[in-house]
Amino acid sequence: MIAETVCSAAAAAGLGIAAVTAYRKRFLAAARLAAYSLVPLGLVMTGTVQWLADTAFSPTAWAGFGVLGAAWLLFSSTRAVERRRGGTRKERKEAKAAAQRGAVAPTASAPSLGPGTRPATRPATAPRSESAEDFSDIEAILKKHGI
C-alpha cells in the first residue's frame, strides 16, 4: 500500500516538473520527463509493484535469487575456462586431429610448413633507417610541445 502511494506521488511530481519544463518551451525534455514519470504509475497499475513487494519479503524468493546467482557464477566461470582453453571440446578435438594429419594443403605437393627459401643475407641498413625516421618524428613532436 505504501509503495503504491510513493510511486503515484513520484509520478505526480514528475508530471508537474514536466509541465514546468514545457512551460519553459523545452518540449523535448518535457516529453522525456513525462515518459519517465509515467513508468512508476504504470508499474503500480499493472500490479508489478505489489508483486515486487511480496517478493522482497519472501525468504523463498531470496533463496531463489541465490540459486540463480550460483547458476550464473557457474556458467560464467565455465565460459571463462572454455575461452582460455581455446574453444569447446569438439573444436579442440578437431584441431588436434588436423594437426596430426599434417600441415599439408589439399592441393599442395609439399608440406606448407616445410623449410622455406629465405635469402642468405638481409640488408641490415633498411630497418635502422626506418626506425631512425620514426624516432625523428617523435623527437619533432616532443620538441613542438616543449618536452
Side-chain angles (χ1 to χ4, degrees), residues 10-133:
L15 289 173
I17 293 170
V20 170
T21 306
Y23 179 76
R24 293 180 180 171
K25 302 210 186 287
R26 297 183 60 208
F27 298 111
L28 185 62
R32 191 175 298 124
L33 281 169
Y36 282 129
S37 65
L38 289 175
V39 169
L41 187 62
L43 291 174
V44 167
M45 293 174 77
T46 59
T48 307
V49 172
Q50 183 64 38
W51 176 80
L52 284 174
D54 291 343
T55 304
F57 299 112
S58 169
T60 306
W62 284 107
F65 284 127
V67 168
L68 286 174
W72 180 80
L73 283 174
L74 284 171
F75 178 72
S76 61
S77 63
T78 57
R79 289 292 294 166
V81 169
E82 187 177 80
R83 284 187 183 140
R84 282 192 175 184
R85 287 189 180 171
T88 62
R89 173 183 275 180
K90 185 178 180 182
E91 291 170 351
R92 288 191 307 271
K93 204 179 267 188
E94 289 174 0
K96 187 176 181 181
Q100 288 176 352
R101 284 193 301 260
V104 178
T107 59
S109 60
S112 59
L113 295 177
T117 57
R118 289 188 175 175
T121 60
R122 294 197 301 188
T125 57
R128 289 183 187 161
S129 64
E130 290 175 5
S131 63
E133 290 176 12

